Amino acid sequence: QVQLVESGGGLVQAGGSLRLSCAASERSNSRYAMAWFRQAPGQAREFVAAIDYSGSRTASADSAKGRFTISSDNAKATVYLQMHRLKPEDTAVYYCAAARSDGLPIGINLYDNWGQGTQVTVSS
């Protein structure tokens, strides 16, 4: 079980960059996969990217490939989402999530721990 706090969201022009951070406060020695999801107004929450417990494997949605990079720093218990070439359609609340797993789950129902989200707004 972990507590997650996202930060780094904000307002950026199309083509710009942002880096989101997710700080984890871990209360067990379980292994966790970490992921970013996003939810735009009136839309379902969708997968963006995930990273396994070791930080050695990642997965990303097609919309993120080539633009977004997920990474982790286990010493700092922090997961990042570096976003480049942002588009207006990237506007959403971005959520950090954790799942007890040795693998790399991407299904939203596999994640039991969620942060409160951070708003990303991309202007055109």
Side-chain angles (χ1 to χ4, degrees):
Q1 187 175 353
V2 296
Q3 303 294 317
L4 306 174
V5 180
E6 303 97 333
S7 63
L11 175 64
V12 64
Q13 289 184 307
S17 300
L18 284 173
R19 189 179 73 161
L20 307 183
S21 298
C22 175
S25 179
E26 190 173 356
R27 292 186 173 273
S28 74
N29 62 356
S30 298
R31 293 173 172 176
Y32 289 93
M34 305 293 295
W36 290 95
F37 293 80
R38 68 186 184 186
Q39 187 168 24
Q43 302 293 324
R45 193 168 299 186
E46 66 177 4
F47 171 77
V48 177
I51 189 164
D52 78 340
Y53 72 95
S54 71
S56 64
R57 294 190 296 151
T58 63
S60 61
D62 288 343
S63 61
K65 291 178 180 176
R67 299 190 300 126
F68 296 179
T69 301
I70 189 169
S71 62
S72 63
D73 185 337
N74 287 343
K76 296 182 178 179
T78 301
V79 177
Y80 305 95
L81 184 68
Q82 180 66 60
M83 304 186 292
H84 294 296
R85 295 187 289 115
L86 284 160
K87 305 173 182 179
E89 53 262 43
D90 295 319
T91 295
V93 176
Y94 283 70
Y95 296 91
C96 181
R100 294 184 183 88
S101 178
D102 289 338
L104 192 61
I106 63 172
I108 189 170
N109 291 337
L110 299 174
Y111 287 84
D112 297 325
N113 299 277
W114 294 86
Q116 293 298 308
T118 185
Q119 176 72 47
V120 172
T121 302
V122 184
S123 62
S124 60

